[in-house]
Amino acid sequence: MTELRRRFDEVAELYDRARPRYPPALVEELARVAGLGPGSRVLEIGPGTGQLTVPLAGYGCLITCVELGASMAAVARRRLSGFPRVDVVVSDFEGWEPPAEPYDLVVSATAFHWIDPAVRTAKAARALRPGGRLAVVATEHVAGGSTEFFARAQRCYERWDPAAPPGLRLLPSSRTATDTAEFEESPWYGPVTVGRFEQDIDYTTDGYLDVLLTYSNHRALEPAAREGLFGCLRELIDGSYGGRVTKRYLHGLIVAVRAET
């Protein structure tokens, strides 16, 4: 997993251009439940190139970002250059030492699952003040948009990706649960709430393949297999879907309150 999570840094500029931003309603809900404002202290784990950081910075928070990849951090710093209260640190979260003053919010958007599970929940809690919030955004691809395309695309994966599970099909969001057990079972946290936000993103053929190039499992494929997979997908999108497909994302916003003791 360590090798996979470092692959994002290979394509930092593409990642920034291709990855979707988070729905405004999600950002607004996060700001509401965390009570964000100019006096808030925020720690973001794995900001990438700032997909969530930029809108959070608009609330005037003091934000510390801990990003594993130096290239990703460089892009994030460029995007956040207009926000002097944001600091981007290059480090893995496991080895990073938090300051003595605690944070009001620790947030991780589509990155928490990359952190060592033996470390992440407890270390986030130790960085929080009692009553502070840990917010984790978990992103999934669910049924919707160009559903038929994704069913047909599975044949491309089964041909070219040896790790592809046979017959995989997307589930509708109504049948997709957001896993909160890690937070509910932790002695560090009290109440846990979940918000769910969907968005459809339209892609051209090139745009969709660009997104796939930012996924670590696609980058880990052997070059010949990746070329074959992308060629298969390109032929399918251009030949049967007029060069455009729509992907539906489900973003689960998990918020856990740091216990008082």
Side-chain angles (χ1 to χ4, degrees):
M1 189 171 77
T2 300
E3 176 61 28
L4 283 177
R5 74 179 188 171
R6 291 185 180 277
R7 287 187 174 271
F8 301 111
D9 206 50
E10 300 170 351
V11 286
E13 295 287 352
L14 178 62
Y15 186 103
D16 185 56
R17 184 173 72 250
R19 285 290 184 108
R21 279 31 176 173
Y22 292 98
L26 182 154
V27 179
E28 291 166 8
E29 177 64 7
L30 174 57
R32 185 191 68 80
V33 298
L36 295 185
S40 302
R41 286 175 50 81
V42 177
L43 168 64
E44 185 177 6
I45 305 168
T49 58
Q51 277 74 8
L52 182 62
T53 324
V54 171
L56 289 184
Y59 288 88
C61 309
L62 178 67
I63 306 177
T64 300
C65 301
V66 180
E67 169 54 47
L68 177 66
S71 297
M72 299 280 272
V75 176
R77 289 191 189 107
R78 186 181 71 223
R79 292 190 63 206
L80 292 156
S81 61
F83 299 98
R85 294 172 61 84
V86 180
D87 182 33
V88 182
V89 178
V90 178
S91 175
D92 62 325
F93 180 65
E94 294 89 340
W96 177 76
E97 287 298 323
E101 186 177 356
Y103 293 93
D104 302 300
L105 171 68
V106 174
V107 61
S108 185
T110 321
F112 202 68
H113 61 286
W114 290 111
I115 309 300
D116 184 349
V119 172
R120 60 195 182 199
T121 307
K123 188 165 186 177
R126 289 194 293 270
L128 279 167
R129 62 168 175 80
R133 267 63 173 173
L134 169 63
V136 173
V137 180
T139 299
E140 298 183 63
H141 179 194
V142 295
S146 304
T147 301
E148 180 191 73
F149 159 72
F150 293 107
R152 294 177 65 183
Q154 181 63 20
R155 300 171 199 160
C156 296
Y157 282 92
E158 291 173 5
R159 178 181 178 186
W160 293 103
D161 182 358
L168 181 67
R169 292 295 182 268
L170 296 170
L171 293 176
S173 60
S174 60
R175 292 177 55 194
T176 304
T178 302
D179 186 5
T180 59
E182 178 177 1
F183 313 100
E184 292 174 332
E185 296 169 1
S186 170
W188 291 98
Y189 300 97
V192 178
T193 60
V194 178
R196 290 158 65 87
F197 304 84
E198 295 183 27
Q199 64 172 335
D200 286 354
I201 304 292
D202 297 326
Y203 293 104
T204 62
T205 303
D206 287 339
Y208 183 66
L209 296 181
D210 279 349
V211 171
L212 296 186
L213 273 173
T214 71
Y215 294 158
S216 57
N217 58 336
H218 288 71
R219 299 198 60 75
L221 288 172
E222 292 295 327
R226 186 167 59 245
E227 183 177 343
L229 172 62
F230 280 30
C232 183
L233 294 172
R234 180 180 293 279
E235 182 178 355
L236 182 59
I237 298 171
D238 287 343
S240 300
Y241 296 92
R244 301 193 73 89
V245 291
T246 302
K247 182 175 180 178
R248 178 165 297 172
Y249 295 87
L250 170 65
H251 308 281
L253 174 62
I254 306 166
V255 180
V257 179
R258 170 69 157 87
E260 294 290 336
T261 57

